[in-house]
């Protein structure tokens, strides 16, 4: 089996958090949103239906686990949270990946989608480290 290769665009726009059974979890580098990206470690997969049935089930479980962790981090770190958005788009980066985004009524894109709304606002280093650590801990605890 060939080693897994993530699309470079996913790697350039995010920071590693942890590795779950199926997915690499990464923090999207936009400090305006508490936003994780799950990347299933399966080469050549573009759609959820391209995954084996067991992987489809695992992806859903890890997506729900990440959503729970995002909500916990929002609460623990004092981020406003109104609604959790979960999406699999793939229009720009066709490699299968799932976005899990904490949204709130005062975020810049509310109530519209965050994708393509405006250029990202990268995390300052200290804030990014704090969010990554909190998200990793929350994922391990769930």
């Amino acid at each position: 089996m060939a080693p897994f290769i993530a699309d470079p665009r996913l790697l350039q726009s995010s920071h590693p958090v942890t590795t779950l059974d199926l997915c690499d979890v990464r923090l999207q580098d936009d400090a305006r949103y508490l936003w994780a990206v799950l990347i299933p470690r399966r080469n050549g997969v573009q759609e959820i239906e391209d995954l084996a049935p067991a992987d489809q089930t695992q992806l859903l479980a890890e997506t729900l686990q990440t959503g729970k962790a995002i909500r916990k981090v929002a609460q623990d770190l004092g981020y406003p949270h109104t609604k959790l958005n979960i999406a699999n788009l793939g229009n720009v980066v066709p490699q299968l990946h799932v976005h899990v985004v904490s949204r709130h009524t005062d975020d810049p894109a509310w109530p519209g989608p965050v994708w393509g709304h405006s250029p990202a606002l990268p995390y300052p280093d200290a804030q990014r480290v704090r969010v990554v650590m909190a998200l990793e801990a929350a994922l391990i605890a769930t």
Side-chain angles (χ1 to χ4, degrees), residues 68-95:
K68 184 177 179 181
I70 287 279
R71 288 189 309 274
K72 179 170 179 14
V73 170
Q75 180 180 16
D76 290 352
L77 297 184
Y79 284 83
H81 173 81
T82 304
K83 177 74 175 90
L84 190 68
N85 288 179
I86 297 174
N88 160 236
L89 301 174
N91 297 342
V92 175
V93 178
Q95 181 178 43

Side-chain angles (χ1 to χ4, degrees), residues 14-35:
S14 63
H15 300 280
V17 174
T18 194
T19 299
L20 302 175
D21 290 342
L22 175 65
C23 296
D24 289 339
V25 180
R26 300 183 63 87
L27 177 68
Q28 189 71 19
D29 196 13
D30 191 339
R32 300 170 300 172
Y33 311 98
L34 188 52
W35 179 350

Side-chain angles (χ1 to χ4, degrees), residues 2 11-12 22 39 44 59 62 64 66 76 79 84 89 91 96 103-104 114-115 123 125 138-139 142:
L11 301 179
Q12 292 167 355
L22 175 65
I39 309 169
L59 178 59
E62 292 180 9
L64 297 173
T66 303
D76 290 352
Y79 284 83
L84 190 68
L89 301 174
N91 297 342
L96 179 60
R103 300 293 306 278
H104 58 91
V114 296
W115 301 275
Y123 278 96
D125 288 342
L139 282 162
T142 58

